[in-house]
Amino acid sequence: MNERHTLDAAFAALADPTRRAILARLAKGEATVNELTEPFEMTQPAISQHLKVLEDAGLVICRVEGTRRPRRLAKNGIEALDQWLAILRKALEKNYDRLDHVFAAMQARTTGKLQ
């Protein structure tokens, strides 16, 4: 799967508030489907469908522990999102720095005219 497809799938998965809430819960530690179902007014199959989307997007992984199947955040998927967002953060910082320089120049001209 290429990087663009991976990011598209991850952001599509994050578009749903239930899936974002599931990720927030998994950020606290791994959990089974039944444990993830508790705070929601949804059935276990509905939560399982959300987990499938998150797994397909590479954001969640499943571990087999006997009959239990705890889920946890997938480090690689979360890091891929973080790296992409870091690129945007860097671009925004450059834009804000340029804006700060323009604003400072405008203030210097205004202050100079008042004197």
Side-chain angles (χ1 to χ4, degrees):
M1 195 179 323
N2 67 27
E3 183 178 335
R4 181 177 173 206
H5 183 272
T6 302
L7 284 173
D8 289 349
F11 282 111
L14 291 172
D16 185 276
T18 300
R19 291 192 282 268
R20 290 192 307 271
I22 289 170
L23 287 178
R25 165 54 187 87
L26 291 175
K28 297 176 183 177
E30 67 181 27
T32 64
V33 174
N34 287 334
E35 292 168 339
L36 291 169
T37 302
E38 291 172 9
F40 300 101
E41 292 184 17
M42 288 187 186
T43 63
Q44 182 271 334
I47 293 296
S48 291
Q49 287 178 338
H50 284 294
L51 286 168
K52 174 81 169 108
V53 171
L54 291 167
E55 288 171 2
D56 289 348
L59 299 174
V60 170
I61 56 176
C62 180
R63 182 171 59 84
V64 177
E65 184 182 274
T67 58
R68 297 180 70 235
R69 304 283 188 270
R71 287 357 189 256
R72 68 178 184 267
L73 295 180
K75 182 181 178 196
N76 291 342
I78 301 300
E79 285 178 348
L81 284 174
D82 190 48
Q83 289 171 1
W84 188 81
L85 290 171
I87 293 168
L88 293 182
R89 245 181 257 117
K90 188 174 182 178
L92 281 174
E93 287 172 8
K94 286 181 182 179
N95 287 340
Y96 286 136
D97 288 344
R98 283 194 302 260
L99 188 58
D100 286 342
H101 290 296
V102 168
F103 184 63
M106 289 172 61
Q107 279 186 318
R109 275 185 258 143
T110 303
T111 304
K113 288 180 183 177
L114 293 176
Q115 293 177 356

